[in-house]
Amino acid sequence: MSKYRNLFCSALVFGFISSGTAIAQVQNQTQTTLPHVAVLATGGTIAGTGASETQTTGYKSGVLTADVLLKSVPSLGKVARVSGEQVSNVGSENITNEILLKLAKRVNTLLAQPDIAGVVITHGTDTLEETAYFLNLVVKSDKPVVVTGSMRPSTAISADGPSNILQAVTVAASPTARGRGVLIVLNDRIGSARYTTKTNANTLDTFKSSDDGFIGTLIDQVPHFETAVAKLQTTQTPFDVSKLDSLPEVDIVYGHQNDGGYMYDAAVAHGARGIVVAGVGAGSESLLTLPSIKKAVDKGVVVVRSSRTGSGYVPEDSAYIGLLGDNLNPQKARVLLMLALTVTNDPARVQEMFQQF
Ligand code: GLU
């Protein structure tokens, strides 16, 4: 009996070793055939460290480098061949137009390489949607570009960074993500850069697409896409960052009760070429501000009305001054207006762009 048991055990051991070798071979083959995803790190909470596992505010963001971020997710090796690069290492409140342009140019260079399947950008969540929408307008490829971040620093208990990186790389490596514009992936959700926005300062489920919905979900690391985006994006826009070293100054002026006009005057005096009004309700402007807004328009500044409510459309209304920002929130309207002003000063053409993109 024991003889048979030994034989059985040896057979098991032999089987384990030989299948182990076979698994190693398959893994090696898979490694070389897996899609290549480039990860560009810019900083943010995802690269942040705190003093203890319970610290989720007041930590330092933008500390860990791209390599460290990627090493924290061993399962990436099953999904893609991943390479990491550091573009910046800052909290996203410190993302400048200069960083945006550097990032966009690098993304376009990488995507033009035949061996690159897709690109992931790790980013602070505070202005993540602005970078994502900027890229959505200037990336010249149908390959997937995915922006991700985290709400908890790397040192926190149940940090969401590693899972978000794995999900972002999974989507970027997926052929089903092609041609959908730039995507925002966090917390199991796949959103379009055009519609997704940060809605809560603290919680993990902060990114929402309140009116238009997410375009997909990740279940068991498999992306499921449901909705196509109707607005034009990436290869369908006229914006070309390859020759740009700077972007026109566009400011946002926030509407409120007893709003004076001097914030508009200050923006114009500072040299703004565009102003986005974060108007109350459906982009309404106070009577007290109209003389300053008119002065700005008379000087050739392009004014666009948007809504400070964060969702909904701005309708035509002869009581107010400015182009209509469609349903873009003020921060995304600013991104589009900056790019629009790189190709035209004609208000009619800018208005058309706000309907198209
Ligand atoms: N303010 C930091 C940033 O945007 C932290 C926010 C975050 O990454 O969640 O980078």
Side-chain angles (χ1 to χ4, degrees):
M1 180 67 191
S2 75
K3 189 170 118 193
Y4 287 120
R5 202 177 54 207
N6 284 346
L7 256 179
F8 179 66
C9 287
S10 331
L12 267 185
V13 170
F14 179 73
F16 176 73
I17 291 172
S18 47
S19 69
T21 315
I23 287 168
Q25 276 166 1
V26 171
Q27 272 174 348
N28 285 343
Q29 278 163 11
T30 329
Q31 268 292 330
T32 46
T33 53
L34 282 174
H36 182 182
V37 173
V39 177
L40 302 183
T42 67
T45 297
I46 197 163
T49 53
S52 71
E53 65 175 19
T54 52
Q55 188 183 12
T56 53
T57 63
Y59 53 85
K60 192 162 166 30
S61 76
V63 177
L64 304 182
T65 57
D67 286 353
V68 178
L69 288 185
L70 296 181
K71 281 197 188 111
S72 70
V73 195
S75 320
L76 282 176
K78 294 186 198 141
V79 177
R81 284 176 294 131
V82 182
S83 52
E85 282 177 42
Q86 201 74 44
V87 173
S88 64
N89 211 355
V90 296
S92 67
E93 64 276 20
N94 293 319
I95 294 281
T96 57
N97 289 350
E98 200 185 339
I99 297 175
L100 271 189
L101 288 170
K102 180 180 168 192
L103 178 66
K105 287 175 188 176
R106 187 65 190 139
V107 170
N108 278 333
T109 303
L110 285 165
L111 293 177
Q113 295 173 16
D115 65 309
I116 295 282
V119 170
V120 166
I121 293 117
T122 60
H123 201 285
T125 57
D126 291 353
T127 69
L128 186 151
E129 66 195 83
E130 289 163 64
T131 295
Y133 185 49
F134 183 79
L135 294 174
N136 194 52
L137 295 170
V138 303
V139 163
K140 293 299 158 207
S141 170
D142 277 343
K143 292 179 186 176
V145 175
V146 181
V147 191
T148 193
S150 77
M151 290 301 287
R152 294 183 184 147
S154 64
T155 42
I157 190 161
S158 295
D160 48 332
S163 154
N164 287 341
I165 289 176
L166 182 59
Q167 295 191 341
V169 170
T170 302
V171 173
S174 169
T176 59
R178 277 186 82 119
R180 296 180 184 276
V182 173
L183 302 170
I184 293 178
V185 171
L186 287 98
N187 207 33
D188 303 337
R189 302 295 200 172
I190 308 169
S192 158
R194 172 65 174 71
Y195 298 109
T196 309
T197 186
K198 186 174 182 178
T199 62
N200 185 290
N202 320 106
T203 60
L204 286 196
D205 61 345
T206 175
F207 281 91
K208 296 261 160 56
S209 184
S210 55
D211 281 346
D212 305 282
F214 291 110
I215 64 170
T217 309
L218 280 130
I219 302 164
D220 291 339
Q221 295 307 321
V222 178
H224 296 263
F225 285 98
E226 302 297 341
T227 319
V229 173
K231 298 283 186 188
L232 303 181
Q233 60 210 6
T234 59
T235 53
Q236 302 155 329
T237 77
F239 307 124
D240 176 9
V241 288
S242 67
K243 293 172 201 82
L244 294 178
D245 295 320
S246 63
L247 293 166
E249 182 185 324
V250 174
D251 296 311
I252 300 172
V253 180
Y254 200 92
H256 53 87
Q257 293 179 343
N258 203 47
D259 193 358
Y262 59 86
M263 297 302 274
Y264 294 92
D265 301 336
V268 175
H270 195 263
R273 288 188 46 212
I275 297 176
V276 172
V277 183
V280 299
S284 304
E285 296 159 340
S286 145
L287 286 174
L288 297 173
T289 62
L290 289 178
S292 293
I293 298 175
K294 182 167 182 328
K295 259 192 283 164
V297 171
D298 289 345
K299 284 200 168 141
V301 176
V302 180
V303 174
V304 172
R305 289 166 52 217
S306 66
S307 169
R308 71 171 192 176
T309 65
S311 62
Y313 287 83
V314 171
E316 193 94 56
D317 192 328
S318 58
Y320 307 122
I321 303 171
L323 307 178
L324 312 178
D326 201 76
N327 65 346
L328 286 170
N329 65 25
Q331 58 271 32
K332 288 192 194 187
R334 174 182 164 273
V335 168
L336 176 53
L337 185 51
M338 283 195 302
L339 284 167
L341 293 171
T342 65
V343 293
T344 183
N345 275 321
D346 175 10
R349 178 74 190 107
V350 176
Q351 182 60 82
E352 206 174 67
M353 290 179 182
F354 271 85
Q355 280 139 10
Q356 292 177 316
F357 311 129

